[in-house]
Amino acid sequence: MSFVLALDQGTTSSRALVFDRAGAVKAVAQQEFRQIFPHPGWVEHDAAEIWATQSGVLYEALARAGLGARDIAAIGITNQRETTLVWERATGRPIANAIVWQDRRTAPQCDALRAAGHAETIARKTGLVLDAYFSGTKLRWLLDNVPGARERAMRGELAFGTVDTWLVWNLTQGAAHVTDASNASRTMLFDIRAGDWDDELLALFDVPRSMLPRVVASSGVCAQAKVGDVDVPIAGIAGDQQAALFGQACHQPGLAKNTYGTGCFLLMNTGGTAVASANNLVTTVAWQREGKTDYALEGSVFIGGAVVQWLRDGLRIVRSAAEIETLAASVPDNDGVYFVPAFAGLGAPHWDAYARGAMFGLTRGTTAAHLARAALESIAFQSAEVLDAMQKDAAITLTELRVDGGATANNLLMQFQADLLGVPVVRPKVLETTALGAGYLAGLAVGYWKDAADVAANWQQDRVFEPGMKRERVAELAAGWRRAVERAKHWAE
């Protein structure tokens, strides 16, 4: 019996999961790594540490499953998107720390491009909002600020990649320099309709084409990974949110999911049509398989579950993330307290790189429990704003929201989300949908699963959260949230 191995390289940890044919988890291994904050608004990762942790959990997961590399039919890769790495082709050594998707250092560069009138061209070609979130300005910053980098890039000595590219490079010992279409669509350098790197955009960001990886399908054998002395096909690659959309069996237009991870990412499948957003969402490649490209509308919330991590590590009001639900549930409501967790600016639909985190409505009666509740509610408020914009863009009224990610284990949060949206929130039995989506894309490419219907049949619901709050109360809470967001905007300008 063979299995599929999924490598899930996230913002705070590297994970490896082994799946069987039913989509059940046979084994999992996980390792956190350092978050580096050199200046306010800057976020970096050590690229060598990303690879060391990912390589380590790969072998750990196989050991826990009692398997060898020969038992693996294919490897699927899913990754934190937009995080930008540059390394030496000759040695594989990074020239600097990776600049993480949350990093805001290039916001002034985006302002300058916007002032010069380039936002419309970027949106039309890439489907993206001109923002420091995406890779293009991060790559330009590295070329402009690492001594000698631009000259070396012009000589063809340097390679650029998002995290998927970095993992494949290392898994193949430098033999493959590739990315898939879903990750390429997050760089601000890729024309999503033409399906290729765009020369006008490369000139705009001053990026040599020689640095760029070859774009491959999201589902298809693109390289052979060296796992010990065994070659294992790398057959699936997708950015984490697109992988979760696939893993949630949202294979038809109109189906949507929200992933509650470090950030929150709401995606709606729009099929073969790249729907241009009129409400500050982004249009992205969902996946490319069997010669076809599917697209999605996406709204990105920068700080979702990371707010719980901050309460644990920054304020230390809980010892573990799991404690926050009990603490928040110890009070009946937020008592007028709102928490806008704009630690890295605000994403969709606001796109304010200069917003900063803020709490409002504090009184002498405010307790740690109210802060915990306001923090959880902030995750749901932000997601509800995105979903409202998405329904306007797609002219589709959602009938349910499928959810995944670590924070979906929090029943209080899921119930509040259903109350805000006024539609059922559906939690699947397997919450590992990001890794599962990468596994499915890989397995489909090698015939481990027959077709998309075969993998969709594995999807099962665990619990449905039905909305129960009166709409008047929802309107009152939402109005308070909007007031708080307006006050947090433009703070760092």
Side-chain angles (χ1 to χ4, degrees), residues 416-441:
F416 189 67
Q417 188 72 84
D419 289 341
L420 282 186
L421 297 177
V423 299
V425 166
V426 184
R427 184 170 66 196
K429 280 192 173 169
V430 177
L431 289 177
E432 303 288 1
T433 51
T434 301
L436 188 56
Y440 281 155
L441 289 165

Side-chain angles (χ1 to χ4, degrees), residues 179-466:
T179 188
D180 91 296
S182 74
N183 277 293
S185 75
R186 314 298 297 187
T187 60
M188 271 200 311
L189 304 171
F190 185 78
D191 186 323
I192 58 171
R193 291 169 183 84
D196 196 8
W197 304 116
D198 184 85
D199 287 326
E200 185 182 2
L201 295 172
L202 294 178
L204 186 62
F205 289 99
D206 205 6
V207 171
R209 187 180 265 268
S210 62
M211 295 186 76
L212 304 179
R214 179 169 61 90
V215 181
V216 299
S218 312
S219 179
V221 177
C222 66
Q224 298 291 324
K226 293 280 182 193
V227 183
D229 59 352
V230 179
D231 283 351
V232 183
I234 300 171
I237 305 174
D240 51 10
Q241 305 315 319
Q242 291 98 325
L245 190 69
F246 199 83
Q248 282 276 37
C250 295
H251 302 155
Q252 304 303 317
L255 291 176
K257 68 89 203 172
N258 196 16
T259 295
Y260 298 77
T262 302
C264 289
F265 300 90
L266 213 156
L267 274 75
M268 179 185 283
N269 186 328
T270 62
T273 306
V275 176
S277 175
N279 292 282
N280 279 336
L281 301 181
V282 304
T283 308
T284 197
V285 172
W287 47 74
Q288 204 177 71
R289 56 183 295 267
E290 298 180 333
K292 295 199 297 285
T293 302
D294 280 359
Y295 297 92
L297 273 172
E298 176 177 334
S300 308
V301 170
F302 295 156
I303 300 292
V307 74
V308 176
Q309 197 178 35
W310 180 73
L311 290 180
R312 182 193 70 188
D313 301 339
L315 294 191
R316 302 193 175 179
I317 66 171
V318 289
R319 286 190 305 274
S320 72
E323 286 178 28
I324 195 165
E325 183 174 3
T326 306
L327 181 60
S330 69
V331 289
D333 56 38
N334 64 16
D335 197 31
V337 175
Y338 289 86
F339 180 9
V340 183
F343 303 145
L346 287 169
H350 305 286
W351 295 106
D352 182 350
Y354 302 102
R356 288 295 178 267
M359 294 181 195
F360 299 97
L362 303 180
T363 67
R364 285 289 298 274
T366 300
T367 66
H370 293 115
L371 294 188
R373 190 168 189 113
L376 284 183
E377 290 182 353
S378 76
I379 301 171
F381 280 127
Q382 292 177 97
S383 297
E385 284 184 311
V386 170
L387 192 63
D388 182 51
M390 194 167 281
Q391 292 186 106
K392 287 175 186 167
D393 272 341
I396 294 171
T397 302
L398 205 70
T399 55
E400 67 175 33
L401 180 67
R402 294 184 177 186
V403 298
D404 56 70
T408 56
N410 190 307
N411 292 333
L412 182 71
L413 171 59
M414 292 298 98
Q415 184 57 56
F416 189 67
Q417 188 72 84
D419 289 341
L420 282 186
L421 297 177
V423 299
V425 166
V426 184
R427 184 170 66 196
K429 280 192 173 169
V430 177
L431 289 177
E432 303 288 1
T433 51
T434 301
L436 188 56
Y440 281 155
L441 289 165
L444 284 165
V446 297
Y448 186 79
W449 288 286
K450 189 172 76 214
D451 53 28
D454 195 17
V455 300
N458 285 339
W459 189 87
Q460 292 176 295
Q461 68 182 37
D462 164 54
R463 180 169 169 183
V464 179
F465 296 86
E466 297 284 352

